[in-house]
Amino acid sequence: MAKKKQQKTKVDAIAFANGERYEPSKVKLIKPKVPFEWEVEHHGRNIHVMSCKAPSVPKFEQWILLLSDVHIDNPGCHKPTLTRLLKQAVARKAAIFSNGDLLDLMQGKGDPRSNKSALKVFRSALLSEHYFDSVIDSTADYLCSSECDYAGTNFIALGDGNHETGFQSRREVDCNAHLARAIKSRCVSSVSAGGYHGYLRVKVQIGTSGYQNLIFTMKHHHGSGGGGLSGGTLDARRVFTYVNADLAVMGHNHASNTVGLATEVLSSTNGQYTIKNKFVEFVRIGTLKDEWHASGWAVERGAGTGPAPICQKWVRLFVDYEYEDKQKDEDGNTTRLRRTHPRINWEVTDAR
């Protein structure tokens, strides 16, 4: 007698997150549409290492979308811009890095800034007696939905901001750890909860045989204090007095700017020592929270600075070559350059 086939019970990740029985072999996680050309390792909460391959140097390109101060559960979050940027990130196979305050978490009980009336108009789903759970679930549902092309698969780290740490100090919950778990219960993702500051290191393997690794280092810190008229640009020189990185990024004050600087490095080749200038860059990422209205906290305290720009930042990594003098004329002017070794380069642009 033929055995009856056991009927398979389909339990999707969202249903499991809502309390249904957990059957690990039957949870259907959303996978990236196209396999990524990078992998991520997490060394604690504040060190993240991303590995890429560049079999063809001229064609190599890796995008990183930097998010900061999104305040996704706040009625002022500019959701259309966020959705557009997340879709672009998916199309570019970009890694998405959050530098803090992805969550707002201001409408909980006991927060003097809470305004439940705003939620009645903009975020009725958050008017729940389980406010924190509603924020986490609705955010993970959105990031792992077709609305943003399942961008949750592209996230690599969720850094803490003052909104997450403030909620944690009052409620004793690790907000980003909960969000990372919620994303992973819905889609295949390398995302991990990050710290208030830390490093992202990108290793690019050159050639098919992997004979050389190029290194790009980014320092991230959510930020502190206000920006004033300078928009926080004065922090650029201060940061590079203690940071050894190619790029340093901050948020917190909702300003958007980039500052290029130079630092000295001692270089040696075949026993010959030279002092070279190294280009480094400081970036304020911006915000997606529009709070410049007829009245309110931002308007009352921001008369001298005006509204914050609604934007984030793209980082495009690529590989080019160093050049050195090969031939000079009688006056010492370079007439011919010689291509030497490959180097990793980058450019930062506004994501709007």
Side-chain angles (χ1 to χ4, degrees):
M1 180 182 290
K3 293 183 179 180
K4 291 184 179 180
K5 292 183 178 180
Q6 289 184 343
Q7 186 176 3
K8 292 184 178 180
T9 305
K10 293 183 179 179
V11 181
D12 63 18
I14 296 177
F16 163 57
N18 290 333
E20 294 188 12
R21 188 164 62 92
Y22 178 41
E23 297 183 48
S25 62
K26 298 171 184 176
V27 174
K28 291 190 174 181
L29 299 179
I30 298 166
K31 297 180 180 180
K33 294 181 179 179
V34 180
F36 297 135
E37 297 172 353
W38 46 265
E39 296 178 349
V40 177
E41 294 179 353
H42 304 285
H43 300 264
R45 287 192 69 133
N46 61 347
I47 300 175
H48 315 280
V49 179
M50 182 176 170
S51 300
C52 311
K53 292 183 179 180
S56 174
V57 170
K59 295 181 180 179
F60 173 76
E61 179 180 70
Q62 178 61 55
W63 291 87
I64 301 173
L65 176 60
L66 298 179
L67 301 178
S68 189
D69 300 274
V70 173
H71 301 278
I72 193 169
D73 52 300
N74 187 284
C77 174
H78 208 273
K79 201 74 169 286
T81 300
L82 176 60
T83 301
R84 184 173 64 253
L85 294 181
L86 293 178
K87 286 186 173 182
Q88 288 177 357
V90 173
R92 292 173 171 177
K93 300 180 185 178
I96 303 175
F97 187 97
S98 174
N99 189 48
D101 284 0
L102 176 64
L103 304 175
D104 191 65
L105 297 169
M106 288 196 341
Q107 310 307 325
K109 187 178 293 185
D111 193 320
R113 302 165 297 180
S114 64
N115 182 7
K116 295 291 187 183
S117 61
L119 292 182
K120 292 179 181 179
V121 179
F122 295 101
R123 297 287 192 275
S124 59
L126 300 185
L127 285 171
S128 164
E129 61 181 4
H130 305 296
Y131 166 72
F132 176 75
D133 296 324
S134 298
V135 171
I136 297 299
D137 286 338
S138 63
T139 301
D141 287 344
Y142 165 72
L143 294 177
C144 298
S145 71
S146 59
E147 183 179 354
C148 61
D149 286 349
Y150 311 104
T153 60
N154 294 60
F155 273 79
I156 59 174
L158 303 171
D160 280 332
N162 56 293
H163 279 248
E164 288 93 356
T165 57
F167 194 91
Q168 177 177 330
S169 66
R170 295 190 299 272
R171 303 299 179 192
E172 298 181 347
V173 292
D174 191 331
C175 308
N176 281 328
H178 279 272
L179 180 56
R181 283 194 292 267
I183 292 174
K184 287 182 174 181
S185 75
R186 291 158 171 80
C187 62
V188 176
S189 178
S190 299
V191 67
S192 175
Y196 200 91
H197 79 110
Y199 286 89
L200 171 65
R201 169 156 286 187
V202 182
K203 299 191 298 184
V204 180
Q205 188 182 85
I206 298 297
T208 55
S209 59
Y211 67 90
Q212 185 177 5
N213 281 326
L214 303 180
I215 302 297
F216 169 83
T217 303
M218 183 188 83
K219 168 70 177 180
H220 78 92
H221 192 291
H222 180 68
S224 60
L229 292 177
S230 71
T233 56
L234 297 179
D235 289 331
R237 183 61 70 179
R238 299 187 186 107
V239 166
F240 281 103
T241 60
Y242 68 91
V243 167
N244 181 17
D246 300 297
L247 179 68
V249 302
M250 281 190 179
H252 184 64
N253 66 2
H254 295 194
S256 170
N257 50 61
T258 60
V259 180
L261 300 168
T263 59
E264 283 188 348
V265 294
L266 183 61
S267 177
S268 64
T269 304
N270 297 326
Q272 300 294 322
Y273 287 86
T274 56
I275 298 175
K276 293 184 177 181
N277 290 341
K278 176 186 175 183
F279 176 79
V280 295
E281 197 164 11
F282 175 84
V283 172
R284 287 277 183 180
I285 298 174
T287 184
L288 290 182
K289 183 180 179 183
D290 183 7
E291 49 187 345
W292 194 260
H293 305 298
S295 60
W297 186 91
V299 176
E300 293 171 8
R301 290 162 175 76
T305 56
I310 304 300
C311 70
Q312 302 287 267
K313 292 292 183 289
W314 287 110
V315 178
R316 184 178 78 92
L317 301 178
F318 58 97
V319 176
D320 59 12
Y321 288 88
E322 295 276 8
Y323 286 85
E324 65 179 21
D325 298 341
K326 184 174 183 181
Q327 187 174 341
K328 295 184 179 182
D329 59 19
E330 296 177 353
D331 298 326
N333 298 317
T334 301
T335 58
R336 191 176 176 185
L337 293 174
R338 182 171 68 90
R339 193 177 77 174
T340 58
H341 55 275
R343 65 172 184 176
I344 192 166
N345 210 339
W346 74 93
E347 62 180 9
V348 179
T349 55
D350 283 336
R352 294 179 291 180

